[in-house]
């Protein structure tokens, strides 16, 4: 399940845990303070965090540390994306011929240290609160007589964690052509509907050096996919759609739906000689990819922000092969 959301206020007396699956949170605007049973994490735009199934947590806004986004322009509300999986857990992808290092390295993932609410006067340690449980796609609430953050120490490997996307070690072609976006996978959840697919992949398109060979089309090619592709933009521009795809926005290409670069990006890139290296550093886009069919909510279909003429971005694309080739 993929979601785009925002929030402006927070109730310190309300907390949550998800019995259905793991949450992968991608903040796009404003820095988040994520408090969990196992400790606290500060997660900025350009970073991600994962909250495993069953771990109680709460999210708030931290002012004065917004990384890529200006607080005045944001209106002091947070915005971002969430990917939820209903079986298995997120893990690093198998590197295969890449070897022991590359992509997202295990050493760069951070977990919180234990933190608990003390019994000092003025704290919320013994203050009643509401704990919400997402169970079977429904929400249930109960009153807790004290703070759920009372773990003074822990050990084990079932825990929340965060990752700075700037530490991603991109692998790409150094000769020609555009490799499949799976080469940029940060985290994966196994269990796809068929061999070679995943239940969910989290893929990024980071700043990187592109191929040097002539006669190469550098943006993603036109294609259909056996996976559902949900694209988001954290900051800047996406090289395959520089117009209309804004930070905080999203696009959804369901299974076997044809798509590719917009007309403007296509014509600009076929003219490039590609005779020297070029660094793509104009933005940070990402993709939630899943072998599952994704149903669009009624709210998304009817909201004012929906781009109803999205397909017009490919207007003007015509056949380019000579008639003798047809």
């Amino acid at each position: 399940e993929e979601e785009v959301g925002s929030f402006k206020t927070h109730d310190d007396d309300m907390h949550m845990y998800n019995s259905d699956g793991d949450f992968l949170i991608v903040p796009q605007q404003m820095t988040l303070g994520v408090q969990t049973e196992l400790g606290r994490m500060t997660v900025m735009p350009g970073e991600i965090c994962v909250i495993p199934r069953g771990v109680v947590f709460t999210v708030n806004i931290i002012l004065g540390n917004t990384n890529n986004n200006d607080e005045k322009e944001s209106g002091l509300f947070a915005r971002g994306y969430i990917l939820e999986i209903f079986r298995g857990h997120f893990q690093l992808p198998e590197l295969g011929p890449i070897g022991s290092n590359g992509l997202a390295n295990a050493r760069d993932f951070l977990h919180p240290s234990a933190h608990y609410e003390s019994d000092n006067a003025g704290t919320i340690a013994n203050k009643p609160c509401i704990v919400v449980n997402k169970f079977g796609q429904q929400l249930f609430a109960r009153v807790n007589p004290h703070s759920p953050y009372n773990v003074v120490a822990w050990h084990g490997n079932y825990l929340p964690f965060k990752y700075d996307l700037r530490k991603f070690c991109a692998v790409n072609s150094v000769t020609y052509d555009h490799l499949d976006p799976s080469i940029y996978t940060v985290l994966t959840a196994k269990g796809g509907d068929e061999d070679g697919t995943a239940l969910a992949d989290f893929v990024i398109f980071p700043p990187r050096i592109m191929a040097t060979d002539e006669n190469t089309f550098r943006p993603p090619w036109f294609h259909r996919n056996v996976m559902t592709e949900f694209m988001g933009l954290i900051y800047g521009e996406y090289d395959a759609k520089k117009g209309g795809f804004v930070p905080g926005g999203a696009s959804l290409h369901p299974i076997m739906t044809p798509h590719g670069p917009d007309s403007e990006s296509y014509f600009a890139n076929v003219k490039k000689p590609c005779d020297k290296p070029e660094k793509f550093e104009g933005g940070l886009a990402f993709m939630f990819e899943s072998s599952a069919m994704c149903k669009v909510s009624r709210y998304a279909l009817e909201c004012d922000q929906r781009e109803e003429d999205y397909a017009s971005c490919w207007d003007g694309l015509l056949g380019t092969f000579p008639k003798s080739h047809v």
Side-chain angles (χ1 to χ4, degrees):
E1 182 172 55
E2 297 115 355
E3 302 172 2
V4 181
S6 65
F7 71 93
K8 191 170 184 178
T9 60
H10 170 69
D11 189 344
D12 288 332
D13 298 333
M14 185 171 292
H15 316 280
M16 178 183 183
Y17 67 99
N18 183 4
S19 294
D20 292 339
D22 291 3
F23 279 143
L24 188 157
I25 301 174
V26 184
Q28 184 274 321
Q29 180 171 275
M30 303 296 286
T31 296
L32 304 181
V34 182
Q35 184 165 4
T36 76
E37 291 178 277
L38 303 179
R40 294 175 169 179
M41 299 183 291
T42 298
V43 188
M44 300 184 296
E47 298 180 324
I48 62 168
C49 72
V50 170
I51 309 296
R53 181 198 306 254
V55 173
V56 178
F57 71 99
T58 188
V59 179
N60 214 331
I61 296 174
I62 296 179
L63 300 179
N65 188 14
T66 55
N67 198 17
N68 297 305
N69 307 289
D70 185 80
E71 289 180 4
K72 294 181 180 179
E73 294 181 359
S74 73
L76 298 183
F77 68 90
R79 181 172 59 205
Y81 310 84
I82 298 177
L83 172 61
E84 181 183 10
I85 56 174
F86 296 100
R87 65 176 184 268
H89 301 285
F90 290 105
Q91 62 186 71
L92 293 174
E94 297 178 2
L95 296 183
I98 294 176
S100 59
N101 301 295
L103 307 186
N105 292 304
R107 65 177 180 266
D108 294 321
F109 287 80
L110 304 177
H111 58 73
S113 299
H115 174 89
Y116 67 98
E117 302 289 355
S118 68
D119 293 329
N120 296 332
T123 68
I124 60 173
N126 295 312
K127 183 180 178 180
C129 63
I130 297 174
V131 177
V132 177
N133 178 18
K134 180 176 180 292
F135 186 94
Q137 291 291 69
Q138 298 187 60
L139 298 178
F140 301 87
R142 64 179 173 85
V143 176
N144 212 46
H146 56 77
S147 169
Y149 309 121
N150 56 1
V151 177
V152 298
W154 59 265
H155 69 90
N157 56 16
Y158 189 78
L159 65 158
F161 57 84
K162 60 174 278 187
Y163 176 72
D164 186 341
L165 299 176
R166 293 172 298 182
K167 295 182 179 294
F168 186 81
C169 181
V171 175
N172 203 353
S173 169
V174 294
T175 52
Y176 68 93
D177 215 342
H178 180 102
L179 300 185
D180 191 283
S182 60
I183 199 66
Y184 303 126
T185 299
V186 179
L187 292 169
T188 186
K190 294 184 177 181
D193 294 336
E194 54 186 293
D195 291 343
T197 65
L199 173 65
D201 287 330
F202 173 62
V203 178
I204 64 171
F205 300 92
R208 61 205 185 276
I209 303 294
M210 297 304 289
T212 63
D213 195 65
E214 297 180 8
N215 198 31
T216 287
F217 185 67
R218 285 172 169 163
W221 53 68
F222 294 93
H223 65 287
R224 291 184 292 172
N225 200 340
V226 296
M227 306 275 277
T228 297
E229 298 180 25
F230 176 95
M231 289 282 300
L233 186 61
I234 299 173
Y235 68 86
E237 296 179 328
Y238 177 49
D239 56 275
K241 195 176 190 300
K242 294 189 175 182
F245 191 51
V246 298
S251 66
L252 177 66
H253 297 124
I255 291 173
M256 288 302 174
T257 300
H259 58 283
D262 61 18
S263 300
E264 180 182 353
S265 299
Y266 169 79
F267 288 117
N269 279 275
V270 294
K271 295 177 182 178
K272 289 185 176 181
C274 297
D275 55 357
K276 59 182 178 180
E278 180 180 357
K279 187 173 184 179
F280 281 21
E281 54 184 349
L284 179 58
F286 73 89
M287 180 167 63
F288 296 152
E289 193 172 41
S290 175
S291 62
M293 288 279 190
C294 293
K295 181 179 179 180
V296 182
S297 68
R298 180 174 296 276
Y299 176 83
L301 290 172
E302 297 177 351
C303 72
D304 295 336
Q305 290 77 24
R306 180 188 169 198
E307 187 179 2
E308 297 191 12
D309 62 343
Y310 176 78
S312 65
C313 72
W314 295 297
D315 289 351
L317 289 176
L318 303 173
T320 57
F321 289 99
K323 290 183 179 179
S324 60
H325 292 179
V326 178

